[in-house]
Amino acid sequence: MKDIKSLEQLANRNRRNIIQMIYNAKAGHPGGSLSVIDMLTAIYEIDVDFNSEKRSKVILSKGHAVPAQYAVLHSKGKIKDEELNSFRTVDSRLQGHPHTLDIPETDATTGLLGQGLSIAVGMAIVKKNNNEKNHVYAILGDGEMQEGQIWESLLQAAHYKLDNLIVVIDYNKLSSSGAVNEVINLEPLTEKLRVFDFYTIEIDGNNMQEIVNALNEAFTVKGKPIVIVSNTIKGKGVSFMENNPKWHSGALTEKEYEKAIEELDKAKEEII
């Protein structure tokens, strides 16, 4: 496994590729892609071995954040350099949401919010029945926590004691409709999940050390599904995008693109 600084450098490089993809496409969802990229970078580096036939799976339920997943798959050699520039273009494998027929390594076709956890629960049940020792990750957006299907799946996961299921909630507090908790209040979120009989871990989801610690803790849990409440900043890493609901989705101007790249290049220099 890479050390913390190497993971931070990799996450920064993945951020740069997110911005590059969305700028070239003139469309995409930068805010939620940037908030979740630290967690995705760590999960794939620590617990996804593409050389293994029976490996851990990652279900990106918040499928609109697929630029983050593509950036990580690029870092793992599953997407070529030139292909990143084809994001959201006609006939590209890199569609606006994960599509397993084009890229099997995305593990699930997602985009209709609320469905990814159901898929992950089913996969986790199969792995448990087959005595597989790896994990299934469900990466959820906080906005989709307002979907009823999510809470049904949480009940099912606890009932079957799916200790191979790791749910990650990218809790950046903003959705396409504004502040998440002004639309439908999720709080007290961590306490609710604990009452649902999940082993709960709450962290700063943009802090790589806390992410790695949380994953290592999750790997020790027996008899309960795990949830990591990952408090993040929407648009993390690009100053004018951070905590700005405008950047849930949208295109960057040339000036905005240049500023974003400049900031990320500066951040790279500061990771020592």
Side-chain angles (χ1 to χ4, degrees):
M1 188 193 84
K2 290 181 168 64
D3 60 29
I4 297 299
K5 293 301 179 185
S6 296
L7 288 170
E8 289 174 346
Q9 288 280 14
L10 181 55
N12 180 269
R13 186 158 67 249
N14 289 337
R15 274 193 170 85
R16 203 180 192 283
N17 281 331
I18 288 168
I19 294 297
Q20 186 74 56
M21 276 186 278
I22 293 173
Y23 174 69
N24 287 340
K26 304 303 179 190
H29 294 79
S33 298
L34 293 171
S35 64
V36 79
I37 191 59
D38 299 296
M39 179 63 75
L40 279 181
T41 298
I43 288 171
Y44 277 93
E45 284 299 310
I46 293 170
D47 197 28
V48 180
D49 180 5
F50 285 113
N51 294 317
S52 175
E53 182 181 351
K54 294 181 178 179
R55 61 171 175 83
S56 292
K57 304 285 189 177
V58 181
I59 312 303
L60 185 66
S61 188
K62 49 175 283 179
H64 56 278
V66 75
Q69 192 171 40
Y70 291 156
V72 173
L73 291 177
H74 169 264
S75 76
K76 304 297 288 183
K78 299 302 177 181
I79 294 174
K80 295 179 180 179
D81 291 346
E82 57 272 19
E83 204 172 12
L84 286 179
N85 294 327
S86 73
F87 176 56
R88 280 182 171 245
T89 60
V90 175
D91 295 328
S92 171
R93 292 199 310 153
L94 276 59
Q95 298 187 22
H97 292 83
H99 187 223
T100 56
L101 292 181
D102 287 328
I103 304 180
E105 293 86 359
T106 56
D107 292 332
T109 298
T110 61
L112 291 174
L113 295 179
Q115 296 186 354
L117 182 55
S118 298
I119 297 169
V121 166
M123 285 185 176
I125 290 172
V126 170
K127 282 185 175 291
K128 200 168 183 66
N129 288 344
N130 290 340
N131 293 314
E132 295 181 31
K133 302 305 180 184
N134 41 52
H135 301 95
V136 179
Y137 294 85
I139 314 298
L140 311 182
D142 46 9
E144 70 177 320
M145 294 300 294
Q146 297 163 346
E147 301 272 2
Q149 185 173 349
I150 292 288
W151 297 91
E152 295 174 41
S153 299
L154 291 171
L155 285 170
Q156 189 179 31
H159 177 78
Y160 287 108
K161 304 183 188 303
L162 298 179
D163 49 14
N164 60 343
L165 175 67
I166 301 176
V167 178
V168 176
I169 301 172
D170 186 44
Y171 200 12
N172 62 40
K173 319 297 191 299
L174 293 171
S175 68
S176 60
S177 301
V180 168
N181 289 328
E182 290 179 6
V183 178
I184 296 179
N185 187 23
L186 300 177
E187 292 296 335
L189 181 57
T190 301
E191 287 80 356
K192 287 174 183 174
L193 295 163
R194 189 171 291 120
V195 170
F196 268 64
D197 208 22
F198 269 67
Y199 185 95
T200 59
I201 306 169
E202 187 167 6
I203 63 167
D204 175 350
N206 296 130
N207 181 304
M208 192 60 74
Q209 184 66 67
E210 290 193 27
I211 291 169
V212 171
N213 290 346
L215 292 174
N216 287 334
E217 182 178 350
F219 298 156
T220 69
V221 175
K222 302 297 180 186
K224 286 187 177 186
I226 302 99
V227 60
I228 300 174
V229 179
S230 179
N231 292 289
T232 60
I233 295 173
K234 195 154 191 168
K236 176 67 177 179
V238 178
S239 62
F240 60 87
M241 291 184 176
E242 290 188 355
N243 288 319
N244 186 343
K246 169 190 173 182
W247 292 104
H248 177 80
S249 64
L252 292 87
T253 66
E254 183 176 356
K255 185 175 180 180
E256 288 167 337
Y257 166 74
E258 289 173 352
K259 180 171 175 54
I261 293 298
E262 179 184 354
E263 290 183 3
L264 292 171
D265 286 347
K266 183 178 179 183
K268 176 183 177 181
E269 304 275 328
E270 293 173 350
I271 300 171
I272 56 175

